[in-house]
């Protein structure tokens, strides 16, 4: 695929779902993928698969809520492969609940991972990309960055924030392409951490109109493979069966 081969692409949240599917797809297309997440046994196994298939990949444990760990993740990629062409800030969680359940620890985790995690990724790569004179930052928002639903207030707020941060960054960046990716409901492990029963039921319902993670990975591939003078600044992708629904 044009403009993908030999690029060093860092992916957070690469141990399952959209991040894993993207790592596998980009490696097939000749990119060098650097996978990050907390579950290293998963990362090790995905990297093993990619290498067995002739692809190039490495992994490093990273908790995106910790700015120093994200910095170390980016330094690891740069020291190992010499440069950083793309970061896909994709790690996220979705412990949905109604506001009056007062799950304040979960609210804080959403803020720390979904918002600060993306900021930490941006902070770690910007100096590197500015020095290189090129780069691409792709942030995973959601259709929940465009609409709010009951039990989704804090999660959607985090994704509205990712959208706003991405758009502001895009306006400030000259030689660095910025893409905000908003997938609709996708079949992954997202929501496994929901502790509110009603919210868990809602997610089960939404899953009946779900995209496959591979389809979202294709959208990432599209954004990276555009010519250098083309910025796919925003991509919204939904299941065709989501008619009548916001997500
Ligand atoms: P998964 O739960 O399958 O993947 C989430 C990934 O994020 C995992 O690899 C997980 O790895 C990682 N992650 C979570 N917390 C952290 C952390 N603190 N540090 C590092 N990595 C972390 O779900 P998806 O693939 O669906 O989610 C990927 C992104 O897509 C998220 O941002 C999500 O909000 C977004 N999204 C998903 C949609 C869906 O319907 N599935 C729709 C719209 C957007 P580990 O636990 O090993 O750290």
């Amino acid at each position: 695929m044009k403009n993908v081969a030999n690029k060093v692409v860092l992916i957070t949240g690469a141990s399952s779902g959209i991040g894993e599917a993207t790592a596998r797809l980009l490696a097939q297309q000749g990119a060098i993928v650097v996978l990050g997440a907390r579950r290293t046994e998963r990362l090790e196994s995905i990297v093993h698969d990619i290498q067995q298939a002739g692809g190039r990949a490495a992994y490093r444990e990273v908790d995106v809520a910790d700015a120093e760990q994200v910095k170390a993740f980016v330094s690891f990629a740069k020291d190992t492969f010499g440069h950083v062409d793309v970061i896909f800030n994709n790690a996220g969680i979705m412990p949905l609940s109604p506001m009056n359940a007062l799950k304040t620890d979960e609210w804080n985790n959403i803020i720390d991972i979904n918002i600060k995690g993306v900021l930490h990724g941006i902070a770690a790569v910007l100096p590197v990309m500015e020095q290189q004179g090129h780069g691409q930052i792709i942030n995973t928002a959601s259709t929940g960055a465009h609409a709010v639903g009951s039990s989704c207030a804090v999660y959607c707020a985090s994704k509205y924030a990712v959208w706003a941060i991405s758009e502001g960054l895009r306006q400030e960046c000259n030689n660095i392409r910025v893409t905000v990716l908003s997938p609709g409901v996708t079949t992954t492990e997202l929501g496994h951490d929901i502790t509110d029963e009603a919210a868990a039921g809602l997610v089960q319902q939404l899953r009946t109109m779900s995209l496959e993670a591979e389809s979202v990975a294709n959208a990432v591939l599209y954004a990276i493979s555009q010519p250098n003078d083309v910025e796919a600044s925003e991509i919204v992708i939904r299941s065709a069966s989501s008619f009548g629904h916001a997500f």
Side-chain angles (χ1 to χ4, degrees), residues 25 83 113 133 141 159 232-233:
L25 179 66
H83 51 114
I113 296 171
K159 295 304 187 177
S233 51

XYZ file of all heavy atoms in Angstrom, residues 25 83 113 133 141 159 232-233:
55
model
N -3.219 -5.372 10.339
C -3.433 -4.903 8.962
C -2.250 -4.071 8.470
O -1.757 -4.269 7.349
C -4.728 -4.078 8.899
C -5.056 -3.498 7.519
C -5.367 -4.612 6.509
C -6.238 -2.535 7.598
N 12.935 6.382 13.836
C 12.006 7.500 13.648
C 10.596 7.076 14.040
O 10.339 5.892 14.285
C 12.039 8.022 12.206
C 11.886 6.954 11.164
N 10.799 6.871 10.345
C 12.665 5.899 10.826
C 10.927 5.824 9.548
N 12.055 5.212 9.813
N -7.621 7.986 31.164
C -7.219 7.132 30.034
C -7.666 7.731 28.697
O -6.859 7.899 27.778
C -7.768 5.702 30.232
C -7.120 5.073 31.475
C -7.524 4.845 28.985
C -7.715 3.756 31.923
N 10.235 16.991 11.036
C 9.591 17.767 9.969
C 8.421 17.044 9.331
O 7.876 17.489 8.322
N -11.636 8.873 18.514
C -12.772 9.457 19.239
C -13.883 8.406 19.167
O -13.678 7.251 19.564
C -13.182 10.783 18.627
N -14.903 11.699 24.672
C -14.704 11.612 23.222
C -14.920 12.966 22.544
O -14.267 13.280 21.548
C -15.619 10.523 22.641
C -15.258 9.114 23.135
C -13.787 8.782 22.841
C -13.429 7.336 23.147
N -12.020 7.031 22.789
N -6.518 13.329 5.875
C -7.873 12.839 6.162
C -8.167 13.308 7.581
O -7.912 12.610 8.552
C -7.919 11.326 6.056
N -8.658 14.518 7.723
C -8.709 15.128 9.054
C -9.783 14.516 9.933
O -9.646 14.504 11.154
C -8.878 16.639 8.952
O -9.942 16.948 8.105
